[in-house]
């Protein structure tokens, strides 16, 4: 490090913290003497629930809870639905837990334990365990006992009834039947084909298995019959077939076809016995219409076969909505009209309704309701300023479980009987969670210099006296295919980010969280704006105009505005500091992209190596759209945070930035690195270390010797 930077090294658990000290003084004495209304530990103390699943009989629900880094399976049963922890993983060990599934008999739960592999086929090991890390399919019984390993990481597909479970491993399909015991019998190979198998789907009666076989640039649909161990191919074209779904009577299979040489996709059905196939419908093929299958939208649904209708997502209205196609052919009818997107969906057991989490009723939130397939009749159960997601309806249709939050209450499992007005909170908040201390963010809409309408959430610090000007911080989400809410988020990463925004507001900062162009929630054109990202960084205008908007506020000190964000938000933080240190006086850059061209190369794009004028033009534009292009004008201090097993943004991005800042010599920077942790930090301790460092950094860089100033 340059001589102008004094450094010290200390280890925080699995983290390595390197602080390049210096800059504008120490913490303001008033701020240091006055404790925050709550601590960062308090506001991040609530459990974050995921993978909420309904038991086949509807008598119980289960979910995964991340409690300050301790990930466990919980179950709640009728009539009282009191949570009961089934597993006992009691350390903040960074071992992920996902893909919760009930077996068909409702006696067991399956889950994956361990994170995914990186490009070198290494499983994430954020505690640097000397024995290494694994990712395994685990089973836990409701009858008690420790979880048992079933096999290595696979996508388990339980049969609709009974105790059988299948999965794929390359070309092979395996099966295990748990029977009535609590041990795991040895799995056996069910069948093998020449190429990779994916998307296993049991028939409703549990006798046949539909699957996709990917081969030689195409993908075809096959069916295996478990009764006579016969295998047949139902499609055989040059196209790519995907997402097979059985009809409710088990006689036909619907699937999506991506036709070679044509845009968009089509919906087909095939007779499961004869192989007679027909196209029911295809997406619009008009110019300037988004006709592709909307995989860019976050969510957990795809094609489903309901009672008389096949339901598919589509974006040709300009927003991602659901459409019902008659099962024997006809026009696709929009089920979810309005300006907004459908993010989660779940079909009712009788096939007559589809439950949705959407923002069509309030565009900056997530509402929960159900839509009747035959006529589009809609009934909402969560609207207004709440956020609700992960719908899990009971088989009898009388009640539903889901996850809910609002501006104050973090993500919480709820249960609601449809005939009643009130919902029942299933899991309790910890006693130290500062529910009463949460600021209610204000919806802000501002127009940019190039005439884009940007939605944002404004956190105003409590107790700000008239005439006082406070420091301000702008938060940019990652993705960029994300949307922040004026409440606790439905994704764990941004649930944590919302906690830091609340914490900063409690410490006297005006916080503005912006939904810049290229995010989701506001339509296709907003998500795909001209010249964004590597093609010109047009979305940076939204950040710049947010800074100017804050400068005009009477409660903001225009000389004390900072930036923070992770991933894409880290990229925009670095952009602000590089291009406009005159406005943005400090930033916290968490695993940000700093050179678009190197990011593209890291992802393995072969065309970037081409020595052609077109490739050179793309390279030049990508670099001009990156913070590294404007290092010369970067003067504001920055805190750089990164995990060195990042699978989304290479750690080399931070190495390169530090090298450039060292060479420049006049930028104060600080560093916080986590050994063996990934992009969305797996250890709760690393989130806490990041947020403590961020708050301390902003205090020193933006507050200086006075917490607020007088006009």
């Amino acid at each position: 490090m340059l001589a102008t930077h004094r450094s010290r090294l200390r280890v925080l658990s699995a983290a390595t913290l390197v602080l390049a000290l210096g800059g504008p003084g120490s913490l303001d004495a008033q701020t240091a003497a006055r404790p925050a209304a709550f601590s960062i530990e308090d506001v991040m103390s609530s459990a974050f629930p995921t993978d909420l699943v309904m038991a086949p009989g509807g008598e119980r629900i289960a979910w995964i809870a991340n409690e300050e880094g301790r990930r466990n399976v919980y179950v709640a049963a009728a009539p009282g639905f009191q949570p009961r922890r089934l597993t006992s993983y009691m350390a903040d060990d960074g071992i992920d837990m996902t893909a919760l599934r009930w077996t068909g008999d409702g006696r067991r739960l399956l889950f994956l334990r361990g994170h995914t592999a990186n490009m070198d086929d290494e499983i994430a090991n954020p505690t640097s365990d000397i024995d290494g890390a694994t990712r395994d399919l685990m089973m836990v019984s409701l009858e008690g006992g420790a979880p048992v390993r079933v096999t290595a990481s696979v996508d388990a597909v339980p049969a609709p009834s009974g105790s059988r479970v299948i999965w794929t491993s390359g070309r092979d399909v395996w099966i295990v039947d748990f029977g009535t015991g609590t041990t795991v019998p040895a799995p056996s190979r069910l069948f093998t084909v020449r190429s990779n198998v994916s998307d296993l789907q049991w028939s409703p009666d549990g006798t046949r298995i539909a699957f996709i076989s990917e081969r030689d640039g195409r993908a075809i649909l096959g069916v295996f019959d478990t009764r006579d161990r016969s295998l047949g191919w139902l499609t055989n074209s040059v196209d790519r077939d995907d997402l097979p779904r059985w009809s409710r009577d088990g006689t036909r299979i619907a699937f999506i076809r991506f036709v070679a040489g044509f845009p968009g996709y089509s919906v087909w059905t095939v007779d499961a016995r004869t192989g007679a196939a027909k196209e029911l419908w295809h997406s619009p093929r008009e110019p300037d219409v988004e006709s592709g299958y909307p995989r860019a939208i976050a969510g957990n649904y795809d094609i489903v076969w309901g009672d008389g209708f096949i339901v598919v997502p589509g974006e040709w209205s300009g927003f991602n909505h659901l459409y019902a196609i008659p099962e024997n052919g006809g026009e696709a009818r929009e089920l979810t009209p309005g300006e907004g997107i459908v993010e989660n969906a779940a079909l009712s057991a009788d096939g007559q309704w589809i439950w949705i989490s959407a923002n069509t009723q309030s565009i900056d939130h997530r509402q929960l309701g159900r839509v009747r397939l035959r006529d589009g009749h809609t009934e909402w159960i969560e609207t207004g300023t709440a956020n609700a997601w992960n719908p899990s309806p009971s088989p009898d249709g009388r009640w539903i479980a889901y996850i809910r939050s609002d501006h104050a209450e973090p993500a919480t499992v709820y249960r609601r009987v449809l005939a009643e007005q009130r919902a029942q909170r299933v899991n309790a908040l910890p006693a130290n969670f500062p529910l009463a201390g949460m600021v209610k963010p204000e919806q802000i809409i501002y127009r940019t210099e190039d005439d884009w309408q940007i939605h944002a959430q404004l956190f105003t610090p409590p107790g700000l006296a008239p005439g006082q000007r406070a420091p301000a911080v702008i938060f940019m989400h990652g993705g960029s295919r994300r949307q922040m809410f004026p409440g606790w988020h439905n994704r764990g990463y941004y649930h944590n980010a919302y906690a830091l925004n609340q914490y900063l507001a409690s410490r006297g900062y005006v916080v503005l969280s912006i939904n810049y162009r290229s995010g989701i929630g506001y339509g296709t054109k907003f998500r795909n704006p001209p010249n964004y990202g590597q093609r010109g960084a047009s979305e940076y205008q939204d950040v710049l105009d947010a800074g100017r908007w804050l400068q005009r506020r009477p409660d903001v000190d225009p000389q004390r505005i900072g930036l923070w964000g992770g991933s894409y938000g880290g990229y925009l933080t670095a952009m602000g500091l590089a291009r406009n240190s005159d406005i943005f006086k400090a930033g916290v850059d968490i695993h940000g992209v700093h050179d678009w061209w190197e990011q593209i190369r890291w992802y393995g794009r072969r065309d970037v190596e081409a020595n052609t004028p077109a490739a050179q033009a793309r390279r030049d534009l990508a670099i001009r759209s990156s913070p590294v292009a404007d290092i010369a004008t970067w003067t504001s201090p920055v805190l750089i945070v990164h995990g060195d097993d990042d699978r989304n943004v290479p750690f080399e991005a931070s190495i390169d930035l530090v090298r450039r800042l060292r060479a420049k010599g006049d930028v104060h920077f600080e560093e916080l690195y986590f050994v063996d942790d990934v992009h969305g930090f797996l250890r709760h301790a690393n989130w806490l270390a990041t947020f403590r460092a961020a708050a301390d950094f902003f205090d020193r860089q933006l507050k200086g010797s006075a917490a607020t100033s007088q006009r």
Side-chain angles (χ1 to χ4, degrees):
M1 194 164 291
L2 296 176
T4 53
H5 294 136
R6 292 177 289 122
S7 65
R8 68 183 180 190
L9 177 67
R10 61 188 171 103
V11 176
L12 295 177
S13 185
T16 300
L17 173 61
V18 183
L19 287 180
L21 299 178
S26 60
L27 279 173
D28 151 59
Q30 293 181 3
T31 303
R34 186 187 68 244
F38 51 84
S39 68
I40 190 64
E41 289 83 0
D42 291 339
V43 78
M44 293 187 66
S45 63
S46 67
F48 185 74
T50 61
D51 295 67
L52 178 64
V53 286
M54 180 74 61
E59 72 285 358
R60 54 177 61 92
I61 55 177
W63 66 93
I64 294 171
N66 183 343
E67 302 167 283
E68 299 177 305
R70 304 180 301 274
R71 297 167 174 86
N72 284 289
V73 176
Y74 277 79
V75 65
F81 286 91
Q82 295 300 311
R84 176 169 65 96
R85 181 166 49 80
L86 285 184
T87 58
S88 297
Y89 301 117
M90 305 310 292
D92 177 20
D93 53 16
I95 301 178
D96 208 1
M97 185 181 289
T98 56
L100 192 64
R101 305 277 190 276
W102 287 97
T103 54
D105 57 10
R107 297 181 58 187
R108 304 167 183 83
L109 284 153
L110 301 163
F111 58 91
L112 286 174
R113 189 161 191 262
H115 201 60
T116 54
N118 62 14
M119 291 182 179
D120 296 321
D121 204 31
E122 299 167 337
I123 302 298
N125 183 16
T127 59
S128 304
D129 189 322
I130 60 174
D131 294 322
T134 61
R135 189 171 193 246
D136 302 305
L137 177 66
M138 307 292 292
M139 180 273 288
V140 63
S141 171
L142 293 186
E143 297 173 10
V148 182
R149 182 182 183 273
V150 180
T151 186
S153 172
V154 294
D155 184 11
V157 184
S161 61
S163 55
R164 294 171 299 164
V165 176
I166 57 176
W167 62 84
T168 66
S169 177
R171 302 178 304 155
D172 302 321
V173 174
W174 293 78
I175 189 168
V176 66
D177 192 335
F178 293 112
T180 58
T182 58
T183 60
V184 177
S188 60
R189 185 183 289 107
L190 193 58
F191 65 91
T192 300
V193 298
R194 184 173 67 85
S195 61
N196 284 348
V197 175
S198 64
D199 212 341
L200 301 175
Q201 296 287 320
W202 287 98
S203 62
D205 64 0
T207 62
R208 292 159 293 168
I209 302 166
F211 64 93
I212 295 295
S213 175
E214 300 185 24
R215 49 182 64 209
D216 303 326
R218 65 179 184 143
I220 59 178
L221 171 61
V223 168
F224 177 81
D225 195 313
T226 63
R227 294 166 296 188
D228 59 8
R229 296 186 55 80
S230 62
L231 184 148
W233 300 106
L234 296 184
T235 66
N236 185 14
S237 73
V238 300
D239 305 314
R240 295 190 62 84
D241 298 333
D242 199 6
L243 302 174
R245 299 295 182 264
W246 289 91
S247 62
R248 298 176 65 78
D249 62 7
T251 61
R252 290 182 290 168
I253 300 172
F255 61 93
I256 296 292
R257 172 165 287 179
F258 300 97
V259 180
F262 286 92
Y265 66 98
S266 53
V267 176
W268 289 64
T269 60
V270 59
D271 189 293
R273 183 178 59 86
T274 67
K278 68 174 182 177
E279 181 186 272
L280 297 187
W281 169 91
H282 64 75
S283 60
R285 293 174 179 167
E286 294 85 357
D288 302 321
V289 172
E290 183 65 47
S291 60
Y293 197 82
R295 298 185 188 275
I297 302 296
N300 62 356
Y301 65 89
D302 45 46
I303 178 175
V304 295
W305 196 323
D307 183 18
F309 297 91
I310 297 168
V311 180
V312 297
E315 260 191 300
W316 46 91
S317 70
F319 291 87
N320 185 55
H321 287 172
L322 297 182
Y323 293 80
I325 304 166
E327 63 182 11
N328 294 315
E331 293 299 315
R333 173 171 45 84
E334 188 175 36
L335 288 174
T336 55
E339 293 193 350
I341 63 170
V342 175
E343 194 169 40
N344 301 154
L347 189 68
S348 64
D350 62 9
Q352 297 182 25
W353 299 83
I354 192 159
W355 285 90
I356 61 171
S357 173
N359 67 334
T360 53
Q361 305 303 295
S362 177
I363 201 163
D364 287 323
H365 297 86
R366 290 292 182 270
Q367 302 85 53
L368 188 73
R370 62 177 183 173
V371 185
R372 194 160 54 202
L373 300 191
R374 73 168 186 265
D375 58 7
H377 171 71
T378 304
E379 298 173 357
W380 297 101
I381 66 168
E382 289 284 359
T383 56
T385 59
N387 299 305
W389 64 94
N390 198 163
S392 299
S394 66
D396 62 10
R398 294 181 56 250
W399 63 278
I400 185 169
Y402 57 97
I403 303 174
R404 181 193 186 278
S405 72
D406 55 32
H407 85 275
E409 183 180 67
T412 305
V413 176
Y414 270 77
R415 174 181 178 269
R416 180 162 181 166
V417 176
L418 300 185
E420 300 175 2
Q421 295 299 313
R422 294 180 66 253
Q424 171 192 357
R425 180 194 288 168
V426 176
N427 62 307
L429 296 178
N432 62 320
F433 183 82
L435 193 66
M438 297 295 94
V439 169
K440 187 171 185 178
E442 177 187 355
Q443 182 198 53
I444 298 296
I445 301 174
Y446 65 93
R447 283 209 170 268
T448 64
E449 189 176 274
D450 55 349
D451 205 31
W452 283 77
Q453 182 172 283
I454 304 301
H455 288 234
Q457 300 92 46
L458 181 71
F459 300 71
T460 303
L464 195 64
Q468 286 185 312
R469 288 182 179 267
V473 173
I474 299 172
F475 169 70
M476 291 82 59
H477 61 71
S480 63
R481 305 304 202 241
R482 306 285 186 266
Q483 180 189 18
M484 295 301 293
F485 316 141
W488 292 90
H489 207 267
N490 58 7
R491 294 173 65 106
Y493 189 109
Y494 301 108
H495 200 265
N496 290 341
Y498 184 83
L500 180 56
N501 286 336
Q502 285 281 0
Y503 181 62
L504 291 173
S506 77
R507 294 177 64 86
Y509 292 89
V510 173
V511 180
L512 186 67
S513 172
I514 66 171
N515 286 323
Y516 54 89
R517 73 190 80 173
S518 79
I520 64 169
Y522 305 105
T524 308
K525 291 182 178 179
F526 188 89
R527 198 182 80 244
N528 297 313
N531 308 320
Y532 80 100
Q534 67 195 32
R535 301 174 184 85
S538 62
E539 71 277 34
Y540 174 65
Q541 186 66 49
D542 309 342
V543 181
L544 181 58
D545 286 332
R548 291 169 174 165
W549 183 85
L550 283 173
Q551 284 184 318
R552 295 191 295 268
R553 285 185 61 88
D555 56 355
V556 170
D557 184 335
Q559 297 303 313
R560 293 189 292 163
I561 298 175
L563 300 170
W564 88 272
S567 194
Y568 212 109
Y571 155 68
L572 290 173
T573 295
M575 285 288 285
L577 302 178
R579 290 189 176 184
N580 288 103
S581 281
D582 58 325
I583 295 176
F584 305 118
K585 302 303 183 179
V588 177
D589 171 1
I590 305 173
H591 40 239
V593 173
H594 307 129
D595 184 332
W596 273 121
W597 194 247
E598 289 303 315
Q599 181 76 13
I600 296 166
R601 285 164 53 90
W602 188 71
Y603 273 126
R605 283 269 303 276
R606 295 291 179 263
D607 61 327
V608 304
E609 304 295 344
N611 187 20
T612 64
Q616 185 63 42
R618 288 198 300 274
R619 176 184 181 277
D620 292 345
L621 179 58
I623 293 174
R624 290 198 307 273
S625 305
S626 305
V628 296
D630 296 290
I631 291 291
T633 55
W634 186 327
T635 60
S636 293
V638 61
L639 169 63
I640 303 165
V641 184
H642 215 144
D644 73 356
D645 189 21
D646 196 316
R647 292 97 188 277
N648 300 68
V649 177
F651 189 75
E652 288 84 348
S654 290
I655 295 175
D656 180 63
L657 179 61
V658 168
R659 179 181 61 81
R660 293 172 186 270
L661 294 179
R662 282 175 175 169
K664 190 170 187 296
D666 62 350
V667 176
H668 172 81
F669 64 90
E670 303 178 10
E671 302 163 77
L672 174 58
Y673 302 134
F674 300 110
V675 176
D676 289 336
D677 212 341
V678 300
H679 194 66
F681 307 134
L682 291 170
R683 297 199 64 222
H684 186 74
N686 293 345
W687 282 107
L688 290 177
T690 297
F691 289 171
R692 288 192 205 102
D696 174 70
F697 180 81
F698 282 135
D699 281 349
R700 287 183 282 112
Q701 304 301 331
L702 296 181
K703 287 185 176 179
S705 60
T708 57
S709 63
Q710 298 292 327
R711 285 186 301 185

